[in-house]
Amino acid sequence: MRSEELHETLLPKRLALPIFASDPLSSVAYATQEILLVLTLGGLAYLHFTPWIAAAVVALMTVVVLSYRQVVHAYPSGGGSYEVASTNLGASAGLVVAASLLVDYVMTVAVSVASGVDNIISAMPSLADHRVGMAIGFVALLTGANLRGTRESGRAFAVPTYLFITSVLIMVGTGLFRYLLGDAPVAESAAYGVEAEPADAGLAGFALVMLCLRAFSSGCTALTGVEAISNGVPAFRKPKSKNAATTMAVMGTIAVVMFVGVTTMALVAKVHITEDPCRLTGLEGDCSSYTQRTVIAQLASSVFGGESSFGFYFVQAATALVLILAANTAFNGFPLLSSILAQHRYLPRQLHNRGDRLAFSNGILALAITAGLLLWFYKANVTNLIHLYILGVFTSFTLSQTGMVRHWNRELRSPQTPPEVRRRAQVTRVINALGAMVTGLVLVIVLATKFTQGAWLAVVAAIVLWVTMRGIRRHYDATAAELAVTDPHAELTRPSRVVAIVLVSTIHKPTLRALAYARAFRPDQLEALTVAVDRDETSALQRQWEELDTDVPLKVIDSPYREITRPVVEYIRSIRRSSPREVVGVFIPEYVVGHWWEQLLHNQSALWLKSRLLFTPGVMVTSVPWQLASSARADHPAARAPGAARRGEPVPHRPSGPPLAKPKDSPHD
Amino acid sequence: MRSEELHETLLPKRLALPIFASDPLSSVAYATQEILLVLTLGGLAYLHFTPWIAAAVVALMTVVVLSYRQVVHAYPSGGGSYEVASTNLGASAGLVVAASLLVDYVMTVAVSVASGVDNIISAMPSLADHRVGMAIGFVALLTGANLRGTRESGRAFAVPTYLFITSVLIMVGTGLFRYLLGDAPVAESAAYGVEAEPADAGLAGFALVMLCLRAFSSGCTALTGVEAISNGVPAFRKPKSKNAATTMAVMGTIAVVMFVGVTTMALVAKVHITEDPCRLTGLEGDCSSYTQRTVIAQLASSVFGGESSFGFYFVQAATALVLILAANTAFNGFPLLSSILAQHRYLPRQLHNRGDRLAFSNGILALAITAGLLLWFYKANVTNLIHLYILGVFTSFTLSQTGMVRHWNRELRSPQTPPEVRRRAQVTRVINALGAMVTGLVLVIVLATKFTQGAWLAVVAAIVLWVTMRGIRRHYDATAAELAVTDPHAELTRPSRVVAIVLVSTIHKPTLRALAYARAFRPDQLEALTVAVDRDETSALQRQWEELDTDVPLKVIDSPYREITRPVVEYIRSIRRSSPREVVGVFIPEYVVGHWWEQLLHNQSALWLKSRLLFTPGVMVTSVPWQLASSARADHPAARAPGAARRGEPVPHRPSGPPLAKPKDSPHD
């Protein structure tokens, strides 16, 4: 896409909603289930806490959506939490958000795919043995699609997301309608009892509160992905902020309605689900091979009349599809965030360019491999993976809301702020402060209840990322300081003399070309240089050289230890020592070949010599290529074919930012 | 070692013998055993064929030693079978020998280490469970020692080899003496019977002959390594050929005496050994966990009075040690042969230099990994590994002896050959012809009896090597033809004009240095070039450029797709198109950093651009390095420390050959 075209692909709200909301909406598919799984650790007795926990999640969701609507208005450039935190709380805090989000993108892929596979297995139980294989297969599929560069198409996202919303709402509506008519749907697991885990039976006081908090932590997965819209403001049609805020409100409302609906129906239909199917009582047959269906599947089956009904399959297909799409959003978000971080020099510069498919591909592969390993290690078990999730989400919520409070404090301190703005700022500051406190509290709860269950791994990963990114930034800063121009006049001064040295090992066309090119530069002094490792070969070379009858002398340097690089480097250093204001240009004849295996057969020593010469001050190294016939083939696709440059070409400059998020006023750049 | 010093380390015969003979002599440790193992497939009944088979092996050994003495005289340069075959039978035949030998070096390591471990386990049966681990451990140990560059020291080889010879001869002598006194030693397995394999019981006619031929094939392992001396002639003191021939005769005599002695004692002491211990009858306890001792161990134990006698441990220690040393010879021979093949351009050129530790290390690692995999796959079982062995040895025997016959034919055809030489040539031609026929026959026998038992793998490996090496040679030949100088005058003609282009992305010290250096060359035309990927950044750059106030114009080229390489390459092609006799020099500012991870953070795009520019005709690419402070550290060890160049420095030239083998009159070079 040409740079100019990027600005023409702005999104109407009806497309922006499914594009940015497939992740948060899809979490409805597992949030209720995760709450139930924790509560049934203590048997069926604690299920009556479900409404309260769900209410807490809804309240939290409301606060977070309201808070983020303020972010959308205040930071329309799309930097999201990262920008808010780094602008208001400093670079280190911003980097904490960035590291958390990078970890969370990985978890989004893992959890969404695992849950998608869960719902497929619920529809086709015979696939239960292939859980991990299917999960990794989906990751591979997404990787392949993204590596090939399929751009997210609005329409392709819109259809499944709307299908999912519609089907879940119809399911909930039908179920409630039947309930009101006195024909409440009954889940297949309603008849089963659940034995409490010995450790969690008959809890009271603090222990009971902790169990409820664990259930609440798990339910908070419903909030993952909420901030996606705040990253995407620049992609909205004008007025961007207003449209984005509206979309966010719509998204929040739909998510709350779906979550409440599913949770209510799960209680109405008496879905009894547990982490370990062997704790189910009244089960016929072998419990260890029994696969419990997901909550969504049990509801769909009970509402629409069994596992062969059209409605059941429809709900399952829509659910699985939207979950896979949610995983795909991470495949877009991860390289995008990497590119912003690279622009701020926290990641290698070459990751910056969005058009740079090579760097982009590296990001996609890193994401896919990490997610694949997690799926393999945790056997694609949603519940186990959930423990690593949401920690990053709430870190980023808390820091960005705190940042927003600072933002309003600053606005309010400024005497230029007009009174009507001042009034609004005071209100939104309260909202953001509430958001910061609530999400901070949830962060503490999540840490306390999940740390030992696996969340420590996410914490360690985020810390490692944070330290690495700071190190990279420090390196770039040090380099920039070292390279800054201090005295342009002195630095532009031409060296007094140029000595050109052509390296000769045998006399063939590449050598002669190197000699001819070196002469074309008219250096102050020109000589050919060879290293004598074999007496016979060297004297043969000297004879041939004389026959050539050029005006260029052939200098022979001895190499008692039969090496090449060291004598050459030392010879050049000696020239520089005797006249430091001279500069030495070393001309190296090189063959250019067409295949990587041909490269293995040639130029190894030239490469090594070049790399050593570059360490020598006052030297420039000129490669004089000789293109062998086979090189023409290799040259063709990459340098001439019209679409070629888009495949695998890194780009050195800092180009225009990615279309969806360029923090124009970032403090780091 | 300096080139001159290499000529001073010549070997006296008493050191040459153990250095070159540890491989052939050590095979005595398993040759007898392998004969017995095949014969007992048909029960104890066939053991009476043992003397006949041993006699055949001795006869074969005599013929081969006599034949190779002729090789030593005729080809004193040390090229061995490879040189003889390629000189007399053509390059393809020589390459067959080379491929076979490379495979055989791998098998020498695997078989010798496996047999060494076998003998250690015979002394300490509690180690039986760690067979594979120990074998791979020894390979790792040898790899480490050889990677560190421990040179084979004559003395270190001499002691264990002479200990082995002495201890085996004393053992055989003592045993025979006791036999003559009527107190014949009795092996621990003498009391056991052996059940025949159903398929091999009561054989007659052709089947019986085949079984004996299989036993003979296995016994031929005694001949492995015989040709080592013919590769080492240049390392002998003068008169080289005569000394080498004498050493070979001594070696052959010792090997025959030891082999005959061990085989006789095995029959006298009634060693009953079988591939599958569960075919032993009269065994107490669980047969599957019973570990049979090696023939050497059973003999030593019975002769010296049990498994706790000093003599027993001494023989086992000497045997194990000499076998590990035999494996070590392959670690020297494999890179040596690779280096000769590289000199003949059948392998990548950089393998050629013996002083080149990097290439040398690759050879050692390739050898170790292949041998390790074989040991792991075949569970360090000597018998299974033996099937892959000796095929290569006899291929090389047959071809080199055939080559010798041709050699004498040519000598005899030449009218200049003096009569006394002519007479000797006629005699030795008979010897070599006999050698060729006999070894050819054995080759057929080995192929027929071992192919399906695993030898096919060795054949496939040799064929793959052969095809690869021919491909490499063909590539080098084609390249050399393409690069040969045809019209030196035209090729040396200076281009009409030089256009220098300095690539600029930002203005910092490296850019200014590149500009200053480019100006120092006084090109006919000089311009700075930048690619506009971001409008704001480009105009900022243009402003800074004007402030610099140089006489060099800054050319800006557009890049609508935000790439760098393609616009630059196309711009340069356009210059060349408009004036084809001009040459374009592209100057690229580069940072030089000290750590590999710093390299990841810089220069990626410059590298890519350089590699693409090299494909463009009429272009030379100059790297103007800017050494960052961190680069000084990295420069220090590799370019200045005295021993550094020996660590990891490839060398482009063809240097003087390795000390032990340089075929001076090779037809390929």
Coordinates of all heavy atoms in Angstrom, one line a residue, chain A residues 272-334:
Chain A
H272 N -23.3 -27.7 35.9 CA -22.3 -28.1 36.9 C -21.0 -28.5 36.3 O -21.0 -29.6 35.6 CB -22.9 -29.2 37.8 CG -24.1 -28.8 38.5 ND1 -25.0 -29.7 39.1 CD2 -24.6 -27.6 38.8 CE1 -26.0 -29.0 39.7 NE2 -25.8 -27.7 39.6
I273 N -20.0 -27.7 36.4 CA -18.8 -28.0 35.7 C -17.7 -27.9 36.7 O -17.7 -27.1 37.7 CB -18.6 -27.0 34.6 CG1 -17.5 -27.4 33.6 CG2 -18.4 -25.5 35.1 CD1 -17.5 -26.6 32.3
T274 N -16.6 -28.7 36.6 CA -15.6 -28.8 37.6 C -14.2 -29.0 36.9 O -14.2 -29.5 35.8 CB -15.8 -29.9 38.6 OG1 -14.6 -30.4 39.0 CG2 -16.6 -31.0 38.0
E275 N -13.2 -28.6 37.6 CA -11.8 -28.7 36.9 C -11.5 -30.2 36.7 O -11.0 -30.5 35.6 CB -10.8 -28.1 37.9 CG -10.5 -26.6 37.7 CD -9.3 -26.1 38.5 OE1 -8.4 -26.9 38.7 OE2 -9.4 -25.0 38.9
D276 N -11.9 -31.0 37.6 CA -11.5 -32.4 37.5 C -12.8 -33.2 37.4 O -13.6 -33.4 38.3 CB -10.8 -32.9 38.8 CG -10.5 -34.3 38.8 OD1 -10.7 -35.0 37.8 OD2 -10.0 -34.8 39.8
P277 N -13.1 -33.8 36.2 CA -14.4 -34.5 36.0 C -14.6 -35.6 37.0 O -15.7 -36.1 37.2 CB -14.3 -35.0 34.6 CG -12.9 -34.9 34.2 CD -12.3 -33.8 35.0
C278 N -13.5 -36.1 37.6 CA -13.7 -37.2 38.6 C -14.3 -36.8 39.9 O -14.6 -37.6 40.8 CB -12.3 -37.9 38.8 SG -11.9 -39.0 37.5
R279 N -14.5 -35.5 40.0 CA -15.2 -35.0 41.2 C -16.7 -34.9 41.0 O -17.4 -34.6 41.9 CB -14.6 -33.6 41.7 CG -13.2 -33.7 42.2 CD -12.9 -32.6 43.2 NE -13.7 -31.4 43.1 CZ -13.3 -30.4 42.3 NH1 -12.2 -30.4 41.7 NH2 -14.1 -29.4 42.3
L280 N -17.1 -35.2 39.7 CA -18.5 -35.2 39.4 C -19.1 -36.5 40.1 O -18.6 -37.6 39.9 CB -18.8 -35.2 37.9 CG -18.5 -33.9 37.2 CD1 -18.7 -34.1 35.7 CD2 -19.4 -32.8 37.7
T281 N -20.2 -36.3 40.7 CA -20.9 -37.5 41.3 C -22.1 -37.9 40.4 O -22.7 -37.0 39.8 CB -21.4 -37.3 42.7 OG1 -22.2 -36.2 42.8 CG2 -20.2 -37.2 43.7
G282 N -22.4 -39.1 40.3 CA -23.6 -39.6 39.5 C -23.2 -39.8 38.1 O -24.0 -40.0 37.2
L283 N -21.9 -39.7 37.8 CA -21.4 -39.9 36.4 C -21.4 -41.4 36.1 O -20.9 -42.2 36.9 CB -20.0 -39.3 36.3 CG -19.4 -39.1 34.9 CD1 -20.2 -38.1 34.2 CD2 -18.0 -38.6 35.1
E284 N -21.9 -41.8 34.9 CA -21.7 -43.2 34.5 C -20.5 -43.4 33.7 O -20.1 -42.5 33.0 CB -22.9 -43.6 33.6 CG -24.2 -43.9 34.5 CD -25.4 -43.9 33.6 OE1 -25.3 -44.3 32.4 OE2 -26.5 -43.5 34.1
G285 N -19.9 -44.5 33.8 CA -18.6 -44.8 33.1 C -17.4 -44.2 33.7 O -17.4 -43.7 34.8
D286 N -16.3 -44.2 32.9 CA -15.0 -43.9 33.5 C -14.9 -42.3 33.5 O -15.0 -41.7 32.4 CB -13.9 -44.5 32.6 CG -12.6 -44.1 33.0 OD1 -12.4 -43.7 34.2 OD2 -11.6 -44.3 32.3
C287 N -14.7 -41.8 34.7 CA -14.7 -40.3 34.8 C -13.4 -39.7 34.1 O -13.5 -38.6 33.5 CB -14.7 -39.9 36.2 SG -13.2 -40.3 37.2
S288 N -12.3 -40.4 34.1 CA -11.1 -39.8 33.6 C -11.1 -39.6 32.1 O -10.5 -38.7 31.5 CB -9.9 -40.7 34.0 OG -10.0 -41.9 33.3
S289 N -12.0 -40.4 31.4 CA -12.1 -40.2 30.0 C -13.3 -39.3 29.6 O -13.6 -39.1 28.4 CB -12.1 -41.6 29.2 OG -13.4 -42.2 29.6
Y290 N -14.0 -38.8 30.6 CA -15.2 -38.1 30.3 C -14.8 -36.6 30.0 O -14.0 -36.0 30.8 CB -16.1 -38.1 31.6 CG -17.4 -37.3 31.4 CD1 -18.4 -37.6 30.5 CD2 -17.5 -36.1 32.1 CE1 -19.5 -36.8 30.4 CE2 -18.6 -35.3 32.0 CZ -19.6 -35.7 31.1 OH -20.8 -34.9 31.0
T291 N -15.3 -36.1 28.9 CA -15.0 -34.7 28.6 C -16.2 -33.8 28.9 O -17.3 -34.0 28.3 CB -14.6 -34.6 27.1 OG1 -13.7 -35.6 26.8 CG2 -14.1 -33.2 26.7
Q292 N -16.0 -32.9 29.8 CA -17.1 -31.9 30.1 C -17.2 -30.9 28.9 O -16.2 -30.5 28.4 CB -16.8 -31.2 31.4 CG -16.7 -32.1 32.6 CD -16.3 -31.2 33.8 OE1 -17.2 -30.7 34.5 NE2 -15.0 -31.1 34.1
R293 N -18.4 -30.6 28.5 CA -18.6 -29.6 27.5 C -18.4 -28.2 28.1 O -18.6 -28.1 29.3 CB -20.0 -29.7 26.9 CG -20.2 -30.9 26.0 CD -21.6 -31.0 25.5 NE -22.0 -32.3 25.2 CZ -21.8 -32.8 24.0 NH1 -21.4 -32.1 23.0 NH2 -22.2 -34.1 23.8
T294 N -18.1 -27.2 27.3 CA -18.0 -25.9 27.8 C -19.4 -25.4 28.2 O -20.4 -26.0 27.9 CB -17.5 -24.9 26.7 OG1 -18.4 -25.0 25.6 CG2 -16.1 -25.4 26.2
V295 N -19.4 -24.3 29.0 CA -20.7 -23.8 29.5 C -21.5 -23.3 28.3 O -22.7 -23.6 28.2 CB -20.4 -22.6 30.4 CG1 -21.7 -21.8 30.7 CG2 -19.8 -23.0 31.7
I296 N -20.9 -22.7 27.3 CA -21.6 -22.2 26.1 C -22.3 -23.4 25.5 O -23.5 -23.4 25.1 CB -20.7 -21.5 25.2 CG1 -20.1 -20.2 25.7 CG2 -21.3 -21.3 23.8 CD1 -21.1 -19.1 25.6
A297 N -21.5 -24.5 25.3 CA -22.0 -25.7 24.6 C -23.2 -26.3 25.4 O -24.2 -26.7 24.9 CB -20.9 -26.7 24.5
Q298 N -23.0 -26.4 26.7 CA -24.1 -27.0 27.5 C -25.4 -26.1 27.4 O -26.5 -26.7 27.4 CB -23.7 -27.1 29.0 CG -22.5 -28.1 29.2 CD -22.4 -28.6 30.6 OE1 -23.3 -28.5 31.4 NE2 -21.2 -29.0 31.0
L299 N -25.2 -24.8 27.4 CA -26.4 -23.9 27.3 C -27.0 -24.1 26.0 O -28.2 -24.3 25.8 CB -26.0 -22.5 27.5 CG -25.5 -22.1 29.0 CD1 -25.2 -20.6 29.0 CD2 -26.6 -22.5 30.0
A300 N -26.2 -24.1 24.9 CA -26.8 -24.2 23.6 C -27.5 -25.5 23.4 O -28.6 -25.5 22.8 CB -25.6 -24.0 22.5
S301 N -26.9 -26.5 23.9 CA -27.5 -27.8 23.8 C -28.9 -27.9 24.5 O -29.9 -28.3 24.0 CB -26.6 -28.9 24.3 OG -27.2 -30.1 24.6
S302 N -28.9 -27.3 25.7 CA -30.1 -27.4 26.5 C -31.2 -26.5 26.0 O -32.4 -26.8 26.0 CB -29.9 -27.1 28.0 OG -29.4 -25.8 28.1
V303 N -30.8 -25.3 25.5 CA -31.8 -24.3 25.0 C -32.4 -24.8 23.7 O -33.6 -24.7 23.5 CB -31.1 -22.9 24.9 CG1 -32.0 -22.0 24.1 CG2 -30.8 -22.3 26.2
F304 N -31.5 -25.2 22.8 CA -32.0 -25.5 21.4 C -32.3 -27.0 21.2 O -32.6 -27.4 20.1 CB -30.9 -25.1 20.4 CG -30.6 -23.6 20.3 CD1 -29.4 -23.1 20.6 CD2 -31.7 -22.8 20.1 CE1 -29.2 -21.7 20.6 CE2 -31.5 -21.4 20.0 CZ -30.2 -20.9 20.3
G305 N -32.4 -27.7 22.3 CA -32.9 -29.1 22.2 C -31.8 -30.1 21.7 O -32.0 -30.8 20.7
G306 N -30.8 -30.2 22.4 CA -29.9 -31.3 22.2 C -28.7 -31.1 21.2 O -28.6 -30.0 20.6
E307 N -27.8 -32.1 21.2 CA -26.5 -31.9 20.5 C -26.6 -32.1 19.0 O -25.6 -32.1 18.3 CB -25.5 -32.9 21.1 CG -25.2 -32.6 22.5 CD -25.3 -33.9 23.3 OE1 -24.9 -35.0 22.7 OE2 -25.7 -33.9 24.5
S308 N -27.8 -32.4 18.5 CA -27.9 -32.6 17.1 C -28.7 -31.4 16.5 O -28.9 -31.4 15.3 CB -28.5 -33.9 16.7 OG -29.7 -34.0 17.4
S309 N -29.1 -30.5 17.3 CA -29.9 -29.4 16.8 C -29.0 -28.4 16.0 O -27.8 -28.3 16.3 CB -30.6 -28.6 18.0 OG -29.6 -28.1 18.8
F310 N -29.7 -27.7 15.1 CA -28.9 -26.7 14.3 C -28.4 -25.6 15.2 O -27.3 -25.2 15.0 CB -29.9 -26.2 13.2 CG -29.3 -25.0 12.5 CD1 -28.3 -25.2 11.5 CD2 -29.7 -23.7 12.8 CE1 -27.8 -24.2 10.8 CE2 -29.1 -22.6 12.1 CZ -28.2 -22.9 11.1
G311 N -29.2 -25.2 16.1 CA -28.8 -24.1 17.0 C -27.6 -24.4 17.8 O -26.7 -23.5 17.9
F312 N -27.4 -25.6 18.3 CA -26.2 -26.0 19.0 C -25.0 -25.8 18.1 O -24.0 -25.2 18.5 CB -26.4 -27.4 19.5 CG -25.2 -28.0 20.1 CD1 -24.7 -27.6 21.3 CD2 -24.5 -29.0 19.4 CE1 -23.5 -28.1 21.8 CE2 -23.3 -29.5 19.9 CZ -22.8 -29.1 21.1
Y313 N -25.1 -26.4 16.9 CA -23.9 -26.3 16.1 C -23.6 -24.9 15.7 O -22.4 -24.5 15.6 CB -24.1 -27.2 14.8 CG -23.8 -28.7 15.1 CD1 -24.8 -29.6 15.2 CD2 -22.5 -29.1 15.4 CE1 -24.5 -30.9 15.5 CE2 -22.2 -30.4 15.7 CZ -23.2 -31.3 15.8 OH -22.9 -32.6 16.1
F314 N -24.6 -24.2 15.5 CA -24.4 -22.8 15.0 C -23.7 -22.0 16.1 O -22.7 -21.3 15.9 CB -25.8 -22.1 14.7 CG -25.7 -20.8 14.1 CD1 -25.5 -20.8 12.7 CD2 -25.8 -19.6 14.8 CE1 -25.4 -19.5 12.1 CE2 -25.6 -18.4 14.2 CZ -25.5 -18.4 12.8
V315 N -24.2 -22.1 17.4 CA -23.5 -21.4 18.5 C -22.1 -21.8 18.6 O -21.2 -21.0 18.8 CB -24.3 -21.6 19.8 CG1 -23.5 -21.1 21.0 CG2 -25.7 -21.0 19.7
Q316 N -21.8 -23.1 18.5 CA -20.5 -23.6 18.7 C -19.6 -23.1 17.6 O -18.4 -22.7 17.8 CB -20.5 -25.2 18.7 CG -21.0 -25.8 20.0 CD -20.5 -25.1 21.2 OE1 -21.3 -24.3 21.9 NE2 -19.3 -25.4 21.6
A317 N -20.1 -23.2 16.4 CA -19.2 -22.7 15.2 C -18.9 -21.2 15.4 O -17.8 -20.8 15.2 CB -20.0 -23.0 13.9
A318 N -19.9 -20.4 15.7 CA -19.7 -19.0 15.9 C -18.7 -18.7 17.0 O -17.8 -17.9 16.9 CB -21.0 -18.3 16.1
T319 N -18.9 -19.5 18.1 CA -18.0 -19.3 19.2 C -16.5 -19.6 18.9 O -15.6 -18.8 19.1 CB -18.4 -20.1 20.4 OG1 -19.8 -19.9 20.7 CG2 -17.6 -19.8 21.7
A320 N -16.4 -20.8 18.3 CA -15.0 -21.2 17.9 C -14.4 -20.2 17.0 O -13.2 -19.8 17.1 CB -15.0 -22.6 17.3
L321 N -15.2 -19.7 16.0 CA -14.7 -18.8 15.0 C -14.3 -17.5 15.6 O -13.2 -17.0 15.3 CB -15.8 -18.6 13.9 CG -15.3 -18.1 12.6 CD1 -14.2 -19.0 12.0 CD2 -16.5 -18.0 11.6
V322 N -15.1 -17.0 16.5 CA -14.8 -15.6 17.0 C -13.5 -15.7 18.0 O -12.8 -14.8 18.1 CB -16.0 -15.0 17.8 CG1 -16.1 -15.5 19.2 CG2 -15.9 -13.5 17.7
L323 N -13.4 -16.9 18.6 CA -12.2 -17.1 19.4 C -10.9 -17.1 18.6 O -9.9 -16.5 19.0 CB -12.3 -18.3 20.3 CG -13.3 -18.2 21.5 CD1 -13.7 -19.5 22.0 CD2 -12.6 -17.4 22.6
I324 N -11.0 -17.8 17.5 CA -9.8 -17.9 16.6 C -9.5 -16.5 16.1 O -8.3 -16.0 16.0 CB -10.0 -18.9 15.5 CG1 -10.4 -20.3 16.0 CG2 -8.8 -19.0 14.6 CD1 -9.3 -21.0 16.8
L325 N -10.6 -15.7 15.7 CA -10.4 -14.4 15.3 C -9.8 -13.5 16.4 O -8.9 -12.6 16.1 CB -11.7 -13.7 14.9 CG -12.2 -14.1 13.5 CD1 -13.4 -13.2 13.1 CD2 -11.1 -13.8 12.4
A326 N -10.2 -13.7 17.6 CA -9.6 -13.0 18.7 C -8.1 -13.2 18.8 O -7.3 -12.3 19.1 CB -10.3 -13.4 20.0
A327 N -7.7 -14.5 18.6 CA -6.3 -14.8 18.6 C -5.6 -14.0 17.5 O -4.5 -13.5 17.7 CB -6.1 -16.3 18.5
N328 N -6.3 -13.9 16.4 CA -5.7 -13.2 15.3 C -5.4 -11.7 15.6 O -4.5 -11.2 15.0 CB -6.6 -13.3 14.0 CG -5.9 -12.9 12.8 OD1 -4.9 -13.4 12.4 ND2 -6.5 -11.9 12.1
T329 N -6.2 -11.1 16.4 CA -6.0 -9.7 16.7 C -4.6 -9.5 17.4 O -3.9 -8.5 17.1 CB -7.1 -9.1 17.7 OG1 -7.1 -9.9 18.9 CG2 -8.4 -9.1 17.1
A330 N -4.2 -10.6 18.2 CA -2.9 -10.5 18.8 C -1.8 -10.5 17.7 O -0.7 -9.9 17.8 CB -2.7 -11.6 19.8
F331 N -2.1 -11.3 16.6 CA -1.1 -11.3 15.5 C -0.9 -10.0 14.8 O 0.0 -9.7 14.2 CB -1.5 -12.4 14.5 CG -1.0 -13.8 14.9 CD1 -1.9 -14.6 15.6 CD2 0.2 -14.2 14.6 CE1 -1.5 -15.9 16.0 CE2 0.6 -15.5 15.0 CZ -0.2 -16.3 15.6
N332 N -2.0 -9.1 15.0 CA -1.8 -7.8 14.4 C -1.2 -6.8 15.5 O -0.4 -6.0 15.2 CB -3.2 -7.2 14.0 CG -3.6 -7.9 12.7 OD1 -3.0 -7.7 11.7 ND2 -4.7 -8.7 12.8
G333 N -1.7 -7.0 16.7 CA -1.3 -6.1 17.8 C 0.2 -6.2 18.2 O 0.8 -5.2 18.5
F334 N 0.7 -7.5 18.2 CA 2.0 -7.7 18.7 C 3.1 -7.0 17.8 O 3.9 -6.2 18.3 CB 2.2 -9.2 18.8 CG 3.5 -9.6 19.4 CD1 3.6 -9.8 20.8 CD2 4.6 -9.9 18.7 CE1 4.8 -10.2 21.4 CE2 5.8 -10.3 19.3 CZ 5.9 -10.5 20.7

